Amino acid sequence: KQEVTQIPAALSVPEGENLVLNCSFTDSAIYNLQWFRQDPGKGLTSLLLIQSSQREQTSGRLNASLDKSSGRSTLYIAASQPGDSATYLCAVRPREYGNKLVFGAGTILRVKS
Amino acid sequence: DVKVTQSSRYLVKRTGEKVFLECVQDMDHENMFWYRQDPGLGLRLIYFSYDVKMKEKGDIPEGYSVSREKKERFSLILESASTNQTSMYLCASSFHGTGGASYTFGSGTRLTVV
């Protein structure tokens, strides 16, 4: 059964720092991996989608990498801002389950001004 | 701007009531999903649908049913609401098939059962 783990569970950094969020998964047979952002009490906003054949995706200050063989993904946030404060979730789409996603528990990020 | 719309942001219902949570998407997606999110438990899949009138149970279907009469609309039904169904409910949609479909989520419905 696919399991997704995110480390750290919470992170607090000063504004301007570059930071890395980690996601690991137990089964490398996936279609893709997706990073989401969730603000308190709100829904999920998709940040980046990495196909299983890709190594990384970039959007603005965000860069996500995927190493499928080792079951790892990282989300790199450059020059963090207070507006980046949110919970970040990663989710994989396992080949075993077709169209379903398996989520990690998330990393709560706080960027202090 | 494409979107998934959940009809209510906040709902308060009484124990035993029948509750309907509505979700509409405008992206012509085949797949639609209902998740619930609880502190410490993360997101758990309740039901999903890959076509009109088709549905499959997710990981925690007990106490819930769903309806998909039209492609764009997916309803979650709590037949007799209980306090342990107090939660954040999230609807999502995606294209069907293998490969790299991205998932789009709604804003969520915070349901409180008293």
Side-chain angles (χ1 to χ4, degrees):
Chain A
K1 180 183 175 183
Q2 177 76 264
E3 293 183 358
V4 179
T5 303
Q6 291 187 245
I7 293 173
L11 182 63
S12 181
V13 300
E15 182 177 5
E17 268 203 15
N18 302 324
L19 58 99
V20 174
L21 308 181
N22 297 291
C23 173
S24 62
F25 46 97
T26 54
D27 188 342
S28 62
I30 63 171
Y31 287 119
N32 57 45
L33 182 145
Q34 196 164 357
W35 282 93
F36 295 90
R37 168 187 171 136
Q38 185 176 31
D39 294 295
K42 302 287 181 64
L44 277 64
T45 300
S46 179
L47 297 174
L48 290 165
L49 172 71
I50 311 177
Q51 306 296 348
S52 62
S53 59
Q54 297 175 324
R55 297 288 299 204
E56 65 177 341
Q57 282 288 329
T58 298
S59 175
R61 294 183 293 110
L62 305 179
N63 175 276
S65 68
L66 175 64
D67 184 343
K68 199 174 63 168
S69 61
S70 67
R72 295 179 187 274
S73 176
T74 60
L75 178 67
Y76 175 82
I77 303 177
S80 59
Q81 303 170 358
D84 295 329
S85 299
T87 298
Y88 291 81
L89 295 153
C90 77
V92 299
R93 186 179 167 199
R95 290 185 180 272
E96 178 183 2
Y97 303 147
N99 291 290
K100 293 158 55 174
L101 291 179
V102 178
F103 283 86
T107 294
I108 302 171
L109 173 65
R110 180 184 171 213
V111 180
K112 299 172 288 186
S113 57
Chain B
D1 192 20
V2 294
K3 61 174 61 174
V4 175
T5 302
Q6 294 183 232
S7 55
S8 303
R9 289 295 310 279
Y10 301 95
L11 278 178
V12 180
K13 297 292 182 181
R14 296 192 180 279
T15 301
E17 274 194 74
K18 189 169 186 176
V19 181
F20 293 85
L21 302 184
E22 306 288 346
C23 176
V24 176
Q25 52 95 3
D26 63 1
M27 296 166 282
D28 203 34
H29 284 169
E30 295 89 354
N31 297 331
M32 296 188 75
F33 307 83
W34 276 106
Y35 288 85
R36 66 176 282 178
Q37 186 178 30
D38 301 286
L41 297 176
L43 278 91
R44 294 179 290 169
L45 182 64
I46 305 171
Y47 266 98
F48 70 100
S49 168
Y50 52 88
D51 201 352
V52 175
K53 297 190 184 295
M54 305 301 289
K55 61 185 179 183
E56 285 199 25
K57 294 180 180 179
D59 300 318
I60 51 163
E62 297 79 18
Y64 303 94
S65 62
V66 290
S67 172
R68 189 149 181 220
E69 297 296 319
K70 295 185 177 181
K71 190 176 185 179
E72 67 270 20
R73 186 181 296 270
F74 192 36
S75 303
L76 180 69
I77 304 159
L78 287 66
E79 296 290 343
S80 178
S82 63
T83 55
N84 64 12
Q85 292 178 310
T86 292
S87 185
M88 169 70 100
Y89 289 87
L90 293 163
C91 175
S93 70
S94 76
F95 282 115
H96 191 59
T98 59
S102 177
Y103 287 68
T104 302
F105 279 80
S107 299
T109 296
R110 171 72 65 182
L111 173 67
T112 302
V113 182
V114 298

